[in-house]
Amino acid sequence: MVIPHANSRPIWLVTEAAMPRFLAAQGPASRAVLSAQNFNAERHRVMLLPNEAGDPTAAVVLGLGELASLELLRWWHVAGLPDKLPVGRYHFADALPDSVRYQSELGWRLGEYRYLRYRAAPSSARAQLDSLGNEASERAKRHAVACSLTRDLINTPANDLGPAELEAVMQDLALRHGAMFRSIVGDELLTANFPLVHAVGRASDRAPRLLELRWGSEDHPRITLVGKGVCFDSGGLDLKPAAAMLLMKKDMGGAAVALGLAQALMQRGAPLRLRVLIPAVENAVGSNAFRPGDVLRSRRGLSVEIGNTDAEGRLVLADALAEAQSDRPDLVVDFATLTGAARVALGPELPALFCNDPVVSQSLQHLGDLEADPVWPLPLWDAYDDELSSRIADINNVSSSSFSGAIFGALFLRRFIEPGTAWIHFDLYGWNARERPGRPVGADAQVLRLMDRYLAERFG
Ligand code: BES
Ligand code: MN
Ligand code: ZN
């Protein structure tokens, strides 16, 4: 535990209900300011408090409004602080319960995030957090750093983040943690039997690739993460309209989450045998592009008729998922910005969760709530499965129905999951559509903290 620096101002977190107790504990100077400003711990309201020695800004109080107890504090309650407070050092006062310490320090750190690749910060000097340095603070820091990696990757436009650049980031991550790294690039994908990854990515002059990282002792439970790494999704020949294409630099959001999570896991030395597989491609238009109506053989052997080249994510994931099961892992998790339909169903903030084990699904939903990194289950509805049928191939990559698109995406992926494989699929947006403290418009690292927590609870 770190003793706060002498110049570090304490931040008090106060609910409306706790206000009388808080007031009673204050000296006269501070009490005078609070009553003159009529402060009643209104949610998000921040006040600087004097001390008896005459320092007018000796402490900070943050209102939490009607929050029933401090245990219910979530990171976004405090995420506005770094931008609201004057330059200086701060720490969260009180012996906070670990979960509250975690959410508070996490909120501050997520609130600090800015994407500064292309222009300078508005002002360089900023309020700064002194963390307590216990396990909860360290976890908050680790998560914030991992989320920043994920956010930076998603925010980076496709001209600066193609398949090769994504590879460089993953290779660097592997190097920093002593992980094994390999990549299969361009036409090598054909000889190595990743035909769908190759087909989706081949029209771009930026070669498609299958990226792989392995880390940790062979004796540990085997966890394989698969992330959709479509660095730009034009829709291919079934081209997207302009409005739908505008945000498609973020179509590698699944890969970004997988890499951020991998970093968090390796940094804490999780007792896992970790494997990460990223099919990294650009879904481009060209004379050698794959076409609607083409029939492609997948890694697993199934023939796939292309109903729409814009359903490319499930194609590259199908080959990656086939490979993911080659060493009989204990759990396979895929992350993907897979369907617009998942957003129609649940909106931008609630990733859809599909899982072939209802107990795992329930536990993820519950932990998502606790972590303030929520997910919502949708069904792998067997009765719809036959709508993915093709007249000439084993399966079509889209259904002819215009309903339940997120379910069809998941059912398509399930065709590539072997019986007995424990599998989780997240269909996520990876983007904040509206501006809020800690959630600026732009990339969001959804389900990263949830999955670190889940894996920690289940495997240590
Ligand atoms: N990357 C998109 C899905 C997407 C769209 C995610 C918008 C987030 C926001 C995916 O590759 C795609 O285009 N899916 C199609 C599937 C359809 C052709 C069956 C979609 O959702 O429209
Ligand atoms: Mn698409
Ligand atoms: Zn896509």
Side-chain angles (χ1 to χ4, degrees), residues 30-338:
S30 172
R31 250 203 316 263
V33 170
L34 288 163
S35 79
Q37 301 291 329
N38 200 20
F39 180 83
N40 286 307
E42 293 88 349
R43 190 172 174 179
H44 297 317
R45 190 164 170 204
V46 178
M47 296 232 350
L48 287 157
L49 299 178
N51 63 10
E52 303 309 312
D55 177 354
T57 65
V60 175
V61 56
L62 171 68
L64 297 173
E66 290 174 356
L67 207 65
S69 94
L70 209 52
E71 313 278 334
L72 295 173
L73 179 140
R74 293 295 178 263
W75 65 268
W76 59 77
H77 287 113
V78 303
L81 286 176
D83 281 336
K84 277 186 191 160
L85 294 175
V87 173
R89 310 175 62 145
Y90 300 85
H91 61 276
F92 289 101
D94 279 336
L96 300 173
D98 276 353
S99 64
V100 182
R101 167 77 46 194
Y102 166 73
Q103 292 286 338
S104 311
E105 297 199 5
L106 176 72
W108 179 291
R109 295 187 189 288
L110 291 178
E112 279 180 322
Y113 178 81
R114 292 191 283 212
Y115 182 62
L116 296 173
R117 181 167 174 145
Y118 300 102
R119 67 177 184 206
S123 84
S124 47
R126 264 181 129 185
Q128 190 191 317
L129 180 68
D130 291 320
S131 69
L132 186 72
N134 68 357
E135 167 54 28
S137 326
E138 288 308 309
R139 198 159 76 89
K141 203 182 285 180
R142 199 164 55 235
H143 281 173
V145 173
C147 287
S148 289
L149 169 64
T150 299
R151 284 170 154 187
D152 282 348
L153 288 172
I154 295 175
N155 280 328
T156 303
N159 61 314
D160 279 328
L161 193 97
E165 289 79 12
L166 193 55
E167 170 170 357
V169 170
M170 187 162 167
Q171 186 164 23
D172 176 64
L173 179 68
L175 209 67
R176 277 187 284 125
H177 292 93
M180 166 274 176
F181 178 81
R182 87 175 163 138
S183 66
I184 303 169
V185 182
D187 288 345
E188 286 170 24
L189 288 166
L190 294 175
T191 42
N193 191 27
F194 290 95
L196 296 181
V197 180
H198 183 270
V200 170
R202 74 188 184 208
S204 172
D205 59 6
R206 306 156 96 193
R209 52 203 76 205
L210 192 275
L211 312 174
E212 176 178 12
L213 174 160
R214 281 179 205 253
W215 173 88
S217 160
E218 309 259 4
D219 311 332
H220 288 148
R222 286 194 296 280
I223 307 301
T224 299
L225 312 178
V226 179
K228 172 176 171 182
V230 176
C231 294
F232 188 75
D233 183 9
S234 69
L237 289 173
D238 286 0
L239 194 70
K240 284 183 185 295
M245 206 190 294
L246 189 58
L247 273 183
M248 283 299 123
K249 69 172 182 183
K250 75 172 179 67
D251 213 20
M252 31 54 69
V257 170
L259 293 179
L261 173 59
Q263 173 175 295
L265 292 168
M266 294 190 291
Q267 222 170 58
R268 75 171 167 87
L272 302 172
R273 171 66 176 165
L274 180 66
R275 194 175 179 211
V276 184
L277 289 166
I278 308 280
V281 302
E282 175 172 1
N283 188 18
V285 172
S287 60
N288 62 339
F290 75 124
R291 313 160 192 84
D294 282 359
V295 176
L296 305 168
R297 183 71 60 181
S298 77
R299 180 175 187 78
R300 203 177 173 218
L302 289 180
S303 57
V304 183
E305 183 182 5
I306 305 305
N308 193 318
T309 62
D310 199 7
E312 84 297 338
R314 62 195 71 181
L315 298 172
V316 298
L317 288 174
D319 275 0
L321 285 170
E323 174 57 20
Q325 294 162 96
S326 61
D327 64 343
R328 301 233 122 255
D330 297 279
L331 180 63
V332 174
V333 190
D334 79 68
F335 308 89
T337 51
L338 201 66

